[in-house]
């Protein structure tokens, strides 16, 4: 088994444990990887989003851009027309589903009844019989967001960050606020940084598992809308 296969299986096993514990889990855990050539000499921090030609009318992408824009504003960025922007921001996103099989214990007790506790019942609530194990399969969903920032004038990439999390949430829309906050919450990260971010459920600006998409900013007087 090569390194890639081992890493993928380990990640899926951890995600399966997350699903099993989802009833008591109160945090969304996201792994963030950043590559940076951010100098810090970047006044003003003006930006515009850029898209491939075939994505110009993508409403899903528009919703995610609004989330990213709100996070960038918190770091002194200001969204402007693309012709005046110092930086161009491009998003990549996706979701993959897998099935993970986990061995779970099954106990047998031939004497059902109240459990009185030790020392009255020395075997515990499941009696003296050891557990058997049954394989259970669970769906695991991996969500991914990439944010790439380039200089408009030169095309030079100055920041590239990826956020990834896995669990039982089947909706990328519901996972996206956690991905965005994890990816950009500590902007700018140093080059080659990999770290883990934990965000409490429901702390993304709305109720748990709900998405609140900020409205698009009003264009400046006389500004031309990006094409």
């Amino acid at each position: 088994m090569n390194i890639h296969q081992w890493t993928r299986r380990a990640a899926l096993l951890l995600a399966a444990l997350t699903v099993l514990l989802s009833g008591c889990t109160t945090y969304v855990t996201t792994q963030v990887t950043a590559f940076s050539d951010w100098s810090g000499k970047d006044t003003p921090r003006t930006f515009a989003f850029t898209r491939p030609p075939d994505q110009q009318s993508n409403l899903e992408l528009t919703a995610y851009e609004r989330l990213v824009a709100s996070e960038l504003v918190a770091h002194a960025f200001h969204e402007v027309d693309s012709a005046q922007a110092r930086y161009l921001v491009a998003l990549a996103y996706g979701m993959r589903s897998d099935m993970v099989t986990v061995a779970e214990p099954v106990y047998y007790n031939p004497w059902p009844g109240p459990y009185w506790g030790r020392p009255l019942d020395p075997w515990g609530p499941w009696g003296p019989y050891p557990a058997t194990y049954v394989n259970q399969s669970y769906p695991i969903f991996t969500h991914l967001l990439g944010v790439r920032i380039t200089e408009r004038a030169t095309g030079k990439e100055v920041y590239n960050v990826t956020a990834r999390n896995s669990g039982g949430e089947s909706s990328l829309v519901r996972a996206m606020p956690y991905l965005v906050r994890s990816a950009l919450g500590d902007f700018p990260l140093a080059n080659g940084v990999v770290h883990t971010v934990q965000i409490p459920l429901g702390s993304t600006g709305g109720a748990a598992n709900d998405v609140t998409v900020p409205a698009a900013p009003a264009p400046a007087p006389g500004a031309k809308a990006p094409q």
Side-chain angles (χ1 to χ4, degrees):
M1 181 184 300
N2 60 38
I3 295 294
H4 175 74
Q5 290 175 322
W6 183 90
T7 302
R8 183 168 180 268
R9 290 191 179 184
L12 290 175
L13 178 58
L14 290 174
L17 294 176
T18 300
V19 172
L20 294 177
L21 298 174
S22 60
C24 58
T25 299
T26 57
Y27 291 87
V28 176
T29 301
T30 303
Q31 184 185 71
V32 177
T33 304
F35 296 95
S36 175
D37 190 23
W38 199 267
S39 65
K41 301 175 182 179
D42 57 349
T43 303
R45 289 185 175 184
T46 55
F47 77 98
F49 288 103
T50 181
R51 301 181 176 188
D54 61 344
Q55 298 295 313
Q56 293 302 310
S57 300
N58 189 322
L59 294 178
E60 181 183 12
L61 178 53
T62 299
Y64 300 156
E65 286 176 346
R66 292 303 98 217
L67 294 172
V68 170
S70 292
E71 196 65 39
L72 289 175
V73 167
H75 296 288
F77 280 84
H78 178 59
E79 188 171 3
V80 298
D81 180 77
S82 58
Q84 282 75 48
R86 180 168 184 178
Y87 299 107
L88 296 178
V89 179
L91 306 186
Y93 55 89
M95 184 179 72
R96 185 185 66 217
S97 63
D98 291 281
M99 294 296 295
V100 174
T101 300
V102 179
E104 295 185 344
V106 176
Y107 295 91
Y108 170 70
N109 184 357
W111 303 301
Y115 170 54
W116 301 105
R118 291 180 174 86
L120 299 178
D121 186 355
W123 292 301
W126 306 113
Y129 298 93
T132 58
Y133 287 83
V134 175
N135 288 334
Q136 296 286 351
S137 296
Y138 296 91
I140 298 296
F141 302 92
T142 300
H143 316 98
L144 177 71
L145 170 68
V147 181
R148 182 173 184 260
I149 302 178
T150 59
E151 293 181 340
R152 182 183 62 83
T154 65
K156 176 185 176 182
E157 181 179 87
V158 293
Y159 200 71
N160 194 328
V161 62
T162 302
R164 181 193 311 268
N165 60 37
S166 299
E169 176 56 69
S170 61
S171 171
L172 179 60
V173 175
R174 290 177 176 174
M176 188 58 67
Y178 300 97
L179 293 171
V180 172
R181 282 191 56 190
S182 299
L184 297 172
D186 295 322
F187 177 89
L189 294 170
N191 186 49
V193 165
V194 179
H195 73 153
T196 300
V197 178
Q198 286 190 321
I199 298 177
L201 279 169
S203 65
T204 58
N209 285 333
D210 285 343
V211 176
T212 300
V213 179
K224 182 181 178 181
Q227 299 299 314

